[in-house]
Each structure stands twice: as C-alpha cells, then as structure tokens.
Amino acid sequence: MSLQQLNSTGFEEIIYDNCEPCLVIFSKKECHVCKEVVPMLEELKPQYDEKFGFYYVDVEEDKELFQRFSLKGVPQILFFNNGEYQGKVAGKVEEESVEEKIAEVLGV
Amino acid sequence: MANSYDLIIIGGGPAGLSAAIYGGRAKLKTLVINKGTIGGLVDTTREIVNYPGYIQVSGPDLMKDFKEHAEHFNVEFLKEEVISVDFSQEDKIIKTKKGKELSAKAVILACGSEPRILNIPGEKTLRGSGVAYCATCDAEFFEGEDVVVVGSGDQAVEEGMYITKFARKVTVIVLHDEGVLDCNKVSAERAFNNEKMEFIWNSTIEAVLGEENVEGVKIKNLKTGGSSVLTCQGVFFFVGMIPSTHFLKDSGLETDKRGYIPVNEGMETNLEGIYAVGDNRVKYLRQVVSAAGDGATAAVAAERYIEELNYFNSNIVQSDKKILLLFFNVLVNESIEFSTLLEGLISENGDEYKIFKVDMATKKNLAGKYQIEKVPAVVVLDKGEEIKRLDCSMDKEQLKSQLS
Ligand SMILES: Cc1cc2nc3c(=O)[nH]c(=O)nc-3n(C[C@H](O)[C@H](O)[C@H](O)COP(=O)(O)OP(=O)(O)OC[C@H]3O[C@@H](n4cnc5c(N)ncnc54)[C@H](O)[C@@H]3O)c2cc1C
C-alpha cells in the first residue's frame, strides 16, 4: 500500500493538530537506498492499520521540512506521537528496527 | 512446481541482467532475485560514458533498457534478499529473508559489492546525521557547509567534485604523499584545479566527532603520528568495496580471503552448476561492459550444463533397461581398462543393461551424489533407483556373474 505524501500543511495537521502516532519517511527520487526502504514501509503499513500512521515527504518538493529538522541525508524515518518528536532512524534500516521503534513509540 | 526454475540469478545489476537476457533467450525458465533496485550499483551512477553504443547515458536509464530486454525474453523478477543457500544437491535451494524457498538446476551469483565500512567511532551512530556514502543522494544537504571525503580512488575524487556543487569546501583525506591520488589522471587534474577541493596528505581518519550531528573528524597523520581535529558538517566515505558474498559462507563455495569468488573461463565456481559473474568474482576489470560479458558467458555455460543434466535424467529415469553408471577418470588407467572390459561384456551379452559413463573430472555432482571416491566404480540403477554396486573385478567371468 503506498504511503500518503505530506506537504508542510499536511505535516502540521497530522503531526501537531491530530497528534497521531506515526512515522514520516524523508526521501527523494534519486536515491537508491530510499528505493529499498520505501517499499519496505509500504509492505509494513497494513499491519499497523489505524494504530500507527505511515507518511512520506519528498525533500526536493518540501525543502522547508527537512531544514526544520536539520536532516543530513535521506532516507530518514522520523517518529512522532502526541505532537512530539520521538527520534529517528537513518540510512538503510531493516524492517525489524522500524518495528521495534514503533513498539517503543506506542509504549507496548 | 511454482518455485522451481531452470536458472536462478542472484543479483539484478548489469551482470545478472545480462545473464538473464541470455537465459531467457535460451528458453530457460529464469528468475532474477534482487534485493534492491534493479540495476545494482549502476542505478546509483549519474553518468556512464564508456558502455559501447551509448556515448553518454545515465546509469538508471541504461539499466532500464537491460531490464526491459530481459523481460522481453520472459524472465521473471523477485524483489527479495537471499539469506542462505544449499548447493549440496542437484536441485539448488535458495532461501529468502521473507521465508520463501526456491529451487533451480543452475544458479548464477551476481551479487556485486557494497561499500566497505571502516568501523571507526562515530561512523555508525552519525550515519544519516552527517555520515554519508552516496553523493547523488545526500550532497545537497550540505549546501554551503564543509565536507570531508575519505579516500582517493575514482569514486572518492569524482563524487568529491560533485559535492563541491553544493558544499563550501571539500577536504579529501589521502593516505599517500602529496600529489598522489589513486584515481585516474583526468579526474586528478580536474580535482587539483577545483578551487573548492583541498587535500590532506599522508593521513587517515580516526573518528567522526559530534553528538547529534557531525561536528568534525579526527585525523591522524601517518608520517608524524600526530592527531588533529578538522571541523566539518559532513563526512563521505569512499574507502572501497567488499563483495556481497557473506551469505554464501557455509555453502562450500570457494572464495578468496576478501570474499571474491574465483571462477574459470566458463564462469564456473568450484561447485557444479554454480556460476559467478560481475563484481563479486575475482577479476581484472570491474565495469558494466565486463559484467555484461560475464553474464553472457555464465548463462551459456549454465544452459549447456542443464541440457546435459536433463539428458542424463531422462535417459536414466525413462530407460526400460537397467543402467550401469560407470565412473571413470582418464588419469586412472585401471578405470579405462575396466571400462573397456565392461563395455565388451555388455555388447556381447544382451539387452538387459545400458552403460552410462561418468567422467569424474567433470561430473563432480554425480560422484558426490553416489559418494564415489575411487574409480572404477559401478552403480546399478533401475528406473533411477540404485539397486546395487558392482565389485569392479577385471575377471570377466566374475564380472559376468554379478550381472546375471
Ligand atoms: C561511483 C561508481 C561509478 C562507476 N562508474 C562506472 C562507469 O562509468 N562505467 C562502468 O562501466 N562502470 C562503472 N562503475 C562500475 C560498475 O557499476 C560495476 O562494475 C557494475 O555495477 C557491476 O555489476 P554487477 O552486476 O556485478 O554488480 P552490482 O551492480 O553491484 O549489482 C549487484 C546486485 O545484487 C544485489 N544483491 C546483492 N546481494 C544480494 C542478495 N543476497 N540477495 C538479493 N540481491 C542481492 C544488489 O542489491 C545489487 O542490486 C562504477 C561504480 C561506482 C561505485
């Protein structure tokens, strides 16, 4: 299932207004590692239906967002809950580390 | 069986895709298993100027053509990572990370290589926070900042120059004496003339410094032994590649100390039916054009091997006569003499048996299957099942009595 793309406005709404527990992958088109990590998240998403949000930011389309988090590279997966930043994982991450991090954010 | 193939190719870079084109064209049921994006390393290369027929082409575009070409010959693709293999039987078994099990008559290993990790403090923890391995991916995040590049090969120097499009300054840390780079001359000259490029000679990197983000690197001068700190916001590592062959460790496949697979002219490894092509084999030139050549060679060798295998299997299983599998080795005189004796006996006496000669030098798999260590040896098969073994006596009567 493909990930919903966020722009700055969408990002504000989902993260800070709805306070949804979720992850956001910062990615771009010309990046081979992103092309491995994004499909992995797409496959993982259905398992967390309703419980945890999966979103996508294209850093070339929304420069302001990655500047705000002073990111230094793609891909990076940032985790949020209750409108607060909960940490990130960078580079070529495995499915297991994402699952672990989600469990940590959800406090299970 | 849905999961059984004639030919499975592990790796979808130029070597694997070329093998797939030849395999598909030869009408072998062919599968390419590739964990990342199709095209392998080439998919990360902005520009290729030395692939024949293309004066200039982007890596991803070239690989798209390779893949379409393979699909045109009905090659199947599976996006998965192979984590273990069992090459000990005639049917080669391949297991993926998601628990899929596949089998093939022949396997071509085209796994390429991956960046070497130095394992110095800070390298892992600051990955994505200033530590990077791919300029195309990450250079733009260092707009107006200071970047360090580790290494001085083609990749380091060319990628370093690309980073100067964004960074304020790029400092290259070089192991060698002043003026000596490992890259090609054209790139070296361009780098020396690039105002944003600086070099630190006779040095190596000891640690990446910083809490949340990279703040600097610790550099060691190899001549004086002294250490110094250089402030920077980014570090790109280009310190060579290692072959992606670790998952083959317990398969019985031979590799050299660094993990590269030695092969012969036909790309055959030490295991029958297993071939290695492209960057993951021992070779002189690691480029797209040579990877493609390897792929073609291996696929043709695999096709012949499979043909022989099929011929052998159908002749044994479908034969209404009993089969005498006669193992011989041209270097063992006794086995040649015995073979002449047995052949004479069978042609004189009848219809019940058919001889199938097995050369120990080329049919290692069969010898392994029946655990033959000494020649001559004869295994008697009925409809493919072993019914007995002969005592290979040179006494004609004694031999004849075993066959009645
Ligand atoms: C920066 C750079 C620039 C280059 N420029 C040029 C150039 O201009 N011209 C040129 O000719 N060559 C160039 N090269 C070299 C060229 O890219 C390689 O020689 C070529 O890609 C080798 O092809 P390959 O198919 O052997 O391996 P790769 O391209 O490395 O492909 C291997 C594939 O196998 C996959 N894989 C590995 N392990 C597994 C597993 N266990 N399960 C499933 N899949 C797996 C990988 O994900 C990858 O997709 C360059 C290389 C670099 C690094």
Side-chain angles (χ1 to χ4, degrees), chain A residues 28 30-32 35-36 39 43 59-60 63 66 70-74 76 88 90-92 94-96, chain B residues 35-37 43-44 60 79 81 97-98 127-131 134 136-138 140-142 145 213 233:
Chain A
K28 64 190 256 197
E30 295 281 305
C31 151
H32 59 286
K35 290 185 205 159
E36 291 181 41
E43 264 178 47
V59 298
E60 281 166 319
K63 277 211 158 83
F66 87 78
S70 63
L71 298 183
K72 287 286 179 214
V74 283
Q76 308 233 18
K88 64 179 181 185
K92 200 180 144 191
E94 303 287 330
E95 201 173 320
E96 293 80 42
Chain B
K35 67 174 172 186
T37 41
D43 197 61
T44 71
K79 191 173 161 127
E81 177 174 357
K97 196 164 161 194
K98 299 229 172 85
R127 175 175 235 182
S129 304
V131 170
C134 167
T136 323
C137 310
D138 296 337
E140 66 175 272
F141 299 107
F142 299 92
E145 299 187 325
N213 286 308
Q233 288 76 48

Side-chain angles (χ1 to χ4, degrees), chain B residues 11 13-15 34-35 40-42 50 82 111-112 155 278-279 286-288:
Chain B
N34 187 60
K35 67 174 172 186
L41 271 187
V42 185
N50 52 9
V82 175
C111 305
Q155 201 194 357
D279 282 7
R286 293 198 167 85
Q287 289 277 285
V288 180

Side-chain angles (χ1 to χ4, degrees), chain A residues 12 30 32 51 57 61 66 74 81 86 96-97 104:
Chain A
E12 294 290 331
E30 295 281 305
H32 59 286
K51 285 194 288 269
V57 168
E61 290 171 27
F66 87 78
V74 283
N81 196 7
Q86 307 278 336
E96 293 80 42
S97 15
E104 190 189 310

Side-chain angles (χ1 to χ4, degrees), chain B residues 147-211:
Chain B
V147 169
V148 161
V149 163
V150 188
S152 77
D154 284 345
Q155 201 194 357
V157 172
E158 284 164 23
E159 300 291 271
M161 277 189 286
Y162 177 74
I163 301 167
T164 61
K165 290 190 185 168
F166 304 91
R168 189 180 75 89
K169 187 177 83 177
V170 172
T171 307
V172 186
I173 303 190
V174 189
L175 285 176
H176 315 295
D177 285 334
E178 177 154 3
V180 183
L181 299 178
D182 289 327
C183 67
N184 64 72
K185 284 207 185 80
V186 179
S187 296
E189 207 159 290
R190 277 206 211 133
F192 290 139
N193 290 328
N194 186 323
E195 281 175 3
K196 285 184 167 181
M197 295 278 272
E198 286 179 17
F199 297 87
I200 296 183
W201 307 102
N202 296 310
S203 296
T204 178
I205 178 169
E206 277 185 319
V208 183
L209 310 172
E211 292 287 327

